[in-house]
Amino acid sequence: MTTALPANAQAKALAAAGRLPAFVYDLAELDAHVRSVRAALGDVELYYAVKANPDPELLRVLARHVDGFEVASGGELAHVRELHPGLPVALGGPGKTDEELRGEVTRLHVESTGELRRLIASGRSADVLLRVNLDVPVGGASLAMGGGATPFGMDPAAIDECLELLRAQEAVRLRGIHAHLASGLEARPLLELAAAVLDYARGLGVTEVNLGGGMAVSYAEPDRRFDWDAYGRGLAALRRPGETLRIEPGRSLTVYCGRYVTRVIDVKRVHGELFAVVAGGTHHIRTPATKDHSQPVVSGEPGEPVTIVGQLCTPKDVLARRVPMRLERDDVVEFTMAGAYAWNISHHDFLMHPKPGFHYVGG
Ligand SMILES: *Cc1c(COP(=O)(O)O)cnc(C)c1O
């Protein structure tokens, strides 16, 4: 359902109609946000990492601004091809099947020497970036995909082996280097990583570099945003003439446009601690369970700290801890920053509760 109501009015309307829990996506917010990110990036290409949220309505808005989509499976590839057949697509991810390696893509991000051998043996032609895992410090990151032993990408020795394999044939063309070393970094540390990756790529003599995603998002401070202007300026200073730089953020593009709206079913005190049980839970929005954080809530009337939990029979079903807010039965609770790694990473069928609704405003 699409309406012209602002997001908070939409939440009230859904509550009045008895249609909670629901995700409400503000497509106008997404449009404005991605437009400003695009503007800050200058000549740097922007792909969206679809695994953050593949919702077709979000992809429709993103497609206005991005240069392409980054997908991490055959399923995401088919989804994006059907919705946006004209846009460039890069396929990455460890553990690609032979079928996935046969997919028609603009760029294939090679994750291992074995994968490259299979690709070459298939006889197909392809344009590849080699995913490198450089031994560089990634301190301060919320997740590290590189900078040490991980299953992602290749160390420089394996990249050298790939270069040998590539030299011996013509169908698979080396276009450059791909790196997605860490997530949750601010502009300055991300630029330091970019400088290291660019140095490495230049040493190999390639001019196309995908620097990955992972731009910081703060659930503790929802108003704080990644400094896209500083990042864009920094990349412009690093880039040399003739080089193509590309990034592929996910979370930092779509997280802000989504809200998870629900209502209080029960309020109880157990051993002195106050709990509000809401309809739905982490089987709809698994983000607070995976990141072990409190999902930010639109504040209401101040009150005694209350822990907001869902309907699942597990102590892990906690959405937010000790929120200083007065909650009673039937009150509406709006969780923000629910636009990325929320519904699509959740275990929907656990306990067989009803699915949430999906609503789109603006856009
Ligand atoms: C997940 C992923 C991204 C996006 O990461 P965010 O933290 O959502 O920006 C980009 N590139 C690769 C290879 C990924 O696996």
Side-chain angles (χ1 to χ4, degrees):
M1 189 177 85
T2 305
T3 76
L5 288 176
N8 55 353
Q10 172 69 354
K12 289 199 184 76
L14 289 169
R19 297 176 63 186
L20 297 178
F23 278 90
V24 177
Y25 291 117
D26 187 338
L27 300 180
E29 194 277 349
L30 178 63
D31 186 77
H33 177 52
V34 183
R35 185 187 302 275
S36 75
V37 169
R38 172 68 274 170
L41 287 172
D43 289 334
V44 175
E45 291 184 12
L46 174 65
Y47 278 35
Y48 169 64
V50 170
K51 79 168 187 286
N53 190 338
D55 184 297
E57 287 298 303
L58 272 59
L59 295 186
R60 185 172 61 75
V61 173
L62 285 154
R64 297 173 191 155
H65 306 290
V66 299
D67 299 284
F69 289 120
E70 187 262 352
V71 299
S73 73
E76 286 186 354
L77 175 60
H79 181 67
V80 163
R81 278 287 186 234
E82 188 187 330
L83 294 167
H84 299 283
L87 269 186
V89 179
L91 172 65
K96 293 184 205 71
T97 62
D98 288 345
E99 196 183 343
E100 285 170 331
L101 289 178
R102 278 195 296 273
E104 273 310 315
V105 294
T106 319
R107 287 291 180 272
L108 193 68
H109 297 163
V110 173
E111 294 263 349
S112 76
T113 51
E115 190 173 280
L116 183 61
R117 282 178 209 280
R118 280 192 289 136
L119 181 65
I120 291 172
S122 76
R124 66 159 296 183
S125 65
D127 293 295
V128 302
L129 301 185
L130 302 176
R131 180 170 181 181
V132 68
N133 171 353
L134 286 182
D135 190 9
V136 287
V138 291
S142 60
L143 288 175
M145 275 68 64
T150 72
F152 306 108
M154 295 175 272
D155 54 37
I159 298 270
D160 289 344
E161 206 178 321
C162 286
L163 296 176
E164 285 292 312
L165 292 169
L166 287 164
R167 271 195 282 273
Q169 53 82 61
E170 283 178 355
V172 178
R173 295 171 290 264
L174 174 67
R175 294 296 187 181
I177 286 293
H178 171 245
H180 173 66
L181 296 171
S183 114
L185 291 181
E186 297 293 348
R188 201 197 299 204
L190 219 45
L191 285 166
E192 282 167 19
L193 284 184
V197 172
L198 277 170
D199 261 0
Y200 176 74
R202 286 167 190 155
L204 301 182
V206 297
T207 55
E208 184 176 318
V209 180
N210 183 328
L211 296 162
M215 291 71 191
V217 159
S218 172
Y219 291 89
E221 295 171 83
D223 292 332
R224 180 166 159 191
R225 297 295 155 98
F226 182 80
D227 191 343
W228 288 103
D229 288 328
Y231 187 61
R233 279 195 305 273
L235 290 183
L238 286 173
R239 181 171 165 269
R240 289 186 188 161
E243 286 179 342
T244 300
L245 302 192
R246 183 178 304 132
I247 59 168
E248 48 180 21
R251 192 186 305 269
S252 56
L253 295 186
T254 47
V255 72
Y256 302 106
C257 76
R259 286 182 179 207
Y260 177 63
V261 187
T262 185
R263 65 183 177 81
V264 177
I265 293 176
D266 197 13
V267 178
K268 65 205 278 191
R269 188 178 298 278
V270 183
H271 290 299
E273 177 103 20
L274 199 59
F275 294 91
V277 185
V278 297
T282 54
H283 53 304
H284 292 169
I285 174 169
R286 197 160 159 251
T287 332
T290 52
K291 293 192 79 74
D292 197 23
H293 69 203
S294 285
Q295 194 67 26
V297 184
V298 176
S299 49
E301 232 179 285
E304 179 186 336
V306 57
T307 292
I308 307 174
V309 302
Q311 292 175 282
L312 301 184
C313 310
T314 157
K316 296 193 185 234
D317 194 22
V318 178
L319 296 166
R321 286 179 205 280
R322 301 186 61 76
V323 185
M325 178 173 154
R326 195 184 134 107
L327 283 179
E328 289 174 4
R329 179 170 158 79
D330 282 334
D331 280 351
V332 173
V333 183
E334 285 185 70
F335 294 96
T336 59
M337 298 184 73
Y341 302 102
W343 164 252
N344 66 306
I345 66 158
S346 304
H347 42 307
H348 309 151
D349 292 329
F350 187 38
L351 266 76
M352 299 178 75
H353 283 296
K355 305 259 188 289
F358 290 86
H359 306 273
Y360 306 87
V361 304

